[in-house]
Amino acid sequence: HVQLVESGGDSVQAGGSLRLSCAASKFTSSTYCMGWFRQAPGKEREGVASIDSEGRARYADSVKGRFTISQDKAKNTLYLQMNSLKPEDTAMYYCAANPFWTYGAVCSYTRPADFGYWGQGTQVTVS
């Protein structure tokens, strides 16, 4: 059973930075796909970024150039570095994992149904 625990959410002023972390239980497979998603009040969940075990990352246009997804395999931790934050980035941020991803398959935040494991979320508020 995969467990994901997010942390790092906070209240910041516009233009500020935050780094979110997602601690994951160790996957049984060396290949996986992980992603960050967010949901603002009254809005649908949207994908933010994704990364596969090979380190290939994808970003939503709304965060490209401002957010960076990364991973520390030794610590089983996923990160989301968020810079130049805007009020519209305010949302609950969720980490998600697809531990059954295989090399050659699509790993993308645009395919939330592929992610079978989700964390509880961490709140980011930008004012």
Side-chain angles (χ1 to χ4, degrees), residues 65-122:
R66 299 188 299 122
F67 291 10
T68 302
I69 188 171
S70 63
Q71 58 189 339
D72 185 330
K73 292 185 177 182
K75 296 182 178 179
N76 293 328
T77 301
L78 180 73
Y79 301 101
L80 185 68
Q81 177 67 44
M82 305 186 296
N83 299 327
S84 302
L85 283 162
K86 304 175 181 180
E88 50 263 44
D89 294 319
T90 295
M92 184 71 79
Y93 283 71
Y94 299 91
C95 165
N98 174 9
F100 306 110
W101 180 83
T102 55
Y103 186 82
V106 175
C107 171
S108 176
Y109 62 88
T110 62
R111 300 163 59 100
D114 289 349
F115 297 83
Y117 298 91
W118 295 77
Q120 293 300 307
T122 186

Side-chain angles (χ1 to χ4, degrees), residues 4-68:
L4 304 170
V5 179
E6 302 96 333
S7 61
D10 205 345
S11 295
V12 297
Q13 291 190 336
S17 297
L18 281 176
R19 188 177 79 159
L20 305 184
S21 298
C22 173
S25 55
K26 187 170 177 60
F27 300 143
T28 57
S29 172
S30 61
T31 57
Y32 55 83
C33 171
M34 297 193 73
W36 285 100
F37 297 80
R38 66 186 182 186
Q39 187 167 21
K43 294 188 177 181
E44 292 187 356
R45 182 182 61 193
E46 65 171 336
V48 174
S50 54
I51 189 168
D52 63 31
S53 48
E54 305 299 309
R56 293 171 296 193
R58 297 173 186 242
Y59 297 92
D61 287 343
S62 58
V63 306
K64 200 172 293 183
R66 299 188 299 122
F67 291 10
T68 302

